[in-house]
Amino acid sequence: MHQAGARNLITMAPTPYLYDDGSGTGRSAVDIWTMLPIMYDGAKAAVAYVQQKGDATWSYNTLVQDSYSPKWLIDFDPINFRIQPGFISQCLNLKGLLYWRIDRWSSDPWNNVNNTGQFSSGNYPGEGMLVYPGQTVGIQGVAPSMRLKWLRDGIEDYEYVTILQNLGQGTWAMQMANSVGADWANWTRDPLTLESVRRQLGDAINNLAGATPPPPNPPPANGATAEAENATTSGAIIANNNPGYTGAGYADYQNLSGDYIEWTVNASPAGNYSLDFRYANGSSGNRPLALRVNGVVTQASVSFLPTGSWATWKGVTVPTSLQTGANKIRLTAIGLSGPNIDSLTVK
């Protein structure tokens, strides 16, 4: 799958047998480990290891697997659907969500959501159903359930925290998230408490957005440092869960190819300069990136060798020519994703 450029998702906890795909790069055979809450809790050390290694971790939900985590059946409170994709996912560094099916309808899904004996001897109302057939109620396509809308609310909670991380308030935002959804066992059952946190996050975003001055001119090229979180990104996200970065965070490549980070920097006069990229690579293999300067590929493969851990930061220096005025510097993933990029210094 990796040779074909495809990412591999499996529904199981991390296991050492799959920590190396045999390519010689140190990359895991699995790109996305997707776990039930009870599976996550039974493998916390392994989850922490693969997250540090750079693998993605997701969660999913089905039936009633334990007595403490959120459940997605009709007879559970709405907060169950909202807390998992939102604040719990932020606090546990879970990047995605999986559900096995959304249209497993009975012969009369609008009036009968029961399924006794279909999955086990028990009844799991609404399992595998997040939408309803629209034709029954006179609409084209499907009709979304309230449970699907509550899941959407949770995803928006997640996005609020991410927005604040990008605005330099990640520490406070994560403290707020932890106060209502620290992990699978410790989460509020009070919707008013959750809504209060959501409103505080929203107010902070509004205040910061209102106080943001117009974008400054690009930094000069005489030793100035441009942080990755202030650059333009595509595919890559801004994160702050690994220590040692400068500024408010760093750029974390998500896909094998195509993701990029692009800075705009000033140079005066035109001439030869050095680009110093500060990065961390906690994997065991090189994660090269292509370098474009003003739209032209100047180096097809810049090596970003392992640094020992995702919390150990080093520098890679690349010589280049810059024109007078604004210059665009882009690093693009070319097949092995990328390291975490903290900043660019032009000298």
Side-chain angles (χ1 to χ4, degrees):
M1 293 182 68
H2 287 168
Q3 290 180 347
R7 302 182 78 193
N8 186 16
L9 179 152
I10 63 171
T11 52
M12 65 179 291
T15 174
Y17 296 109
L18 297 175
Y19 287 171
D20 194 314
D21 67 355
S23 65
T25 65
R27 181 181 177 186
S28 295
V30 175
D31 300 290
I32 305 170
W33 305 89
T34 306
M35 294 159 280
L36 292 165
I38 196 170
M39 294 161 62
Y40 178 103
D41 283 346
K44 290 181 179 179
V47 172
Y49 174 77
V50 298
Q51 287 178 339
Q52 184 183 38
K53 194 170 184 281
D55 300 346
T57 50
W58 291 15
S59 71
Y60 77 101
N61 208 315
T62 185
L63 304 177
V64 178
Q65 304 286 343
D66 58 62
S67 62
Y68 57 88
S69 69
K71 305 293 182 291
W72 290 8
L73 304 179
I74 284 178
D75 48 355
F76 284 82
D77 291 338
I79 198 169
N80 282 260
F81 304 88
R82 182 170 177 176
I83 198 73
Q84 178 172 349
F87 296 124
I88 289 179
S89 289
Q90 275 285 5
C91 292
L92 299 182
N93 196 24
L94 301 171
K95 303 297 188 182
L97 198 66
L98 176 70
Y99 194 52
W100 69 281
R101 188 168 177 180
I102 63 172
D103 60 351
R104 191 180 187 278
W105 297 326
S106 67
S107 59
D108 185 15
W110 283 96
N111 297 297
N112 179 21
V113 297
N114 295 314
N115 48 45
T116 302
Q118 297 182 29
F119 299 101
S120 70
S121 60
N123 183 35
Y124 303 95
E127 177 67 27
M129 291 176 53
L130 291 177
V131 296
Y132 295 86
Q135 185 176 6
T136 309
V137 292
I139 64 174
Q140 292 184 342
V142 296
S145 67
M146 289 304 299
R147 290 166 291 138
L148 184 61
K149 295 182 178 182
W150 295 327
L151 290 168
R152 178 196 62 193
D153 290 340
I155 292 170
E156 291 175 350
D157 293 339
Y158 187 103
E159 291 173 340
Y160 272 40
V161 175
T162 300
I163 290 170
L164 286 164
Q165 289 171 337
N166 293 339
L167 290 172
Q169 297 298 314
T171 299
W172 175 79
M174 287 302 298
Q175 289 173 348
M176 297 297 291
N178 269 282
S179 72
V180 290
D183 55 40
W184 296 120
N186 298 287
W187 52 280
T188 184
R189 274 68 170 175
D190 182 1
L192 295 180
T193 299
L194 186 149
E195 189 61 29
S196 174
V197 169
R198 166 73 170 256
R199 288 181 177 274
Q200 291 179 68
L201 295 173
D203 289 344
I205 292 170
N206 286 335
N207 292 336
L208 289 167
T212 301
N217 291 327
N222 56 349
T225 295
E227 298 290 345
E229 64 269 23
N230 297 325
T232 299
T233 60
S234 176
I237 64 170
I238 304 304
N240 63 2
N241 51 298
N242 292 305
Y245 58 85
T246 60
Y250 52 85
D252 183 351
Y253 288 80
Q254 299 296 294
N255 299 297
L256 298 179
S257 300
D259 289 6
Y260 68 78
I261 309 163
E262 183 175 273
W263 296 267
T264 301
V265 299
N266 269 341
S268 181
N272 296 325
Y273 290 85
S274 294
L275 307 178
D276 189 358
F277 300 101
R278 189 171 188 261
Y279 77 98
N281 179 0
S283 75
S284 59
N286 184 22
R287 293 197 173 187
L289 302 171
L291 173 64
R292 289 178 181 265
V293 178
N294 297 321
V296 177
V297 176
T298 59
Q299 291 204 29
S301 180
V302 178
S303 292
F304 288 86
L305 300 175
T307 59
S309 79
W310 292 104
T312 301
W313 301 85
K314 295 185 179 181
V316 165
T317 300
V318 183
T320 194
S321 296
L322 299 178
Q323 63 191 15
T324 300
N327 293 263
K328 292 188 178 297
I329 312 297
R330 178 182 293 194
L331 289 176
T332 304
I334 55 173
L336 292 172
S337 190
N340 291 339
I341 300 290
D342 184 35
S343 64
L344 161 65
T345 301
V346 184
K347 298 178 181 178

